[in-house]
Amino acid sequence: MALRAILFDVDGTLVDSTYLHVDAWQRACAAVGRPVDAWRVHRAIGMDSGGLVDDLLGDAAGELGDAAKDEHARLFAGMRERLRPLPGAVELLGALRERRLTVVLATSAPEDELAMLRDALGLAEGEVPETNADDVDVAKPHPGIVQVALERAGAAADEAVLVGDATWDMIAAGRAGVPSVGVRCGGVGADELTAAGASEVVDDPAELLRRRWP
């Protein structure tokens, strides 16, 4: 079937925020008394927040998880001025919309974080369809966010492509029956993205734009 919708993860895919999240989560874990190495935080970025705190805090997640989430949110909000679109992101969104393809911001970020990411991309609230943490109980790698994004796009799974930077994005897309394209700008290698289900891997949105994709 003809392509109708492009579903974009946002953190690390369209906005250069991955390592800001790593910093915020590392400091949040330290603040609740459970220091975590930065590489472990990076490996968990893009996962459902419940799964992320389980992974980082282990047996202490039930007791300390909410406090860590609150501290992460506070710290990340303090870095909003450092959020920048990744190369080609704004131009790619514009080019796709000019071609009358539906663009969906398919993220499980909380609404306040989504607002910051949207601002970084120069998008007004409601300008494009979007998802957020309130739309599902369990986020990526569960396919729920992808399924909600398809509904918001009014597209079937075989009429859409998901673009993301994390293995969790590729897995969620595959579980929803949606083809996926990986971008390396979130810090995950091409081999891992491919193994997780990506049909193609590029460096960043600018490479997709140069290829006049899709």
Side-chain angles (χ1 to χ4, degrees), residues 52-176:
L52 184 146
V53 296
D54 286 344
D55 187 68
L56 298 182
L57 300 179
D59 293 342
E63 176 187 359
L64 303 175
D66 287 344
K69 290 178 188 178
D70 290 345
E71 183 65 3
H72 164 269
R74 185 187 72 80
L75 291 166
F76 188 73
M79 295 188 282
R80 68 181 303 154
E81 296 303 319
R82 295 171 60 189
L83 292 170
R84 297 288 185 272
L86 282 156
V90 172
E91 295 82 357
L92 178 61
L93 294 181
L96 295 175
R97 294 169 70 193
E98 285 179 6
R99 295 182 61 177
R100 300 194 176 184
L101 289 165
T102 300
V103 167
V104 182
L105 304 183
T107 177
S108 55
E111 174 55 38
D112 55 347
E113 288 184 15
L114 175 57
M116 292 190 287
L117 298 169
R118 194 193 302 121
D119 287 348
L121 292 167
L123 295 172
E125 183 176 3
E127 187 173 344
V128 299
E130 59 189 35
T131 66
N132 65 54
D134 294 334
D135 290 317
V136 291
D137 293 327
V138 182
K140 303 166 188 172
H142 189 276
I145 279 290
V146 182
Q147 292 163 341
V148 172
L150 288 172
E151 293 172 6
R152 304 255 159 102
D158 57 359
E159 297 175 318
V161 171
L162 181 137
V163 181
D165 70 298
T167 56
W168 317 112
D169 298 318
M170 308 300 106
I171 294 169
R175 290 174 176 175

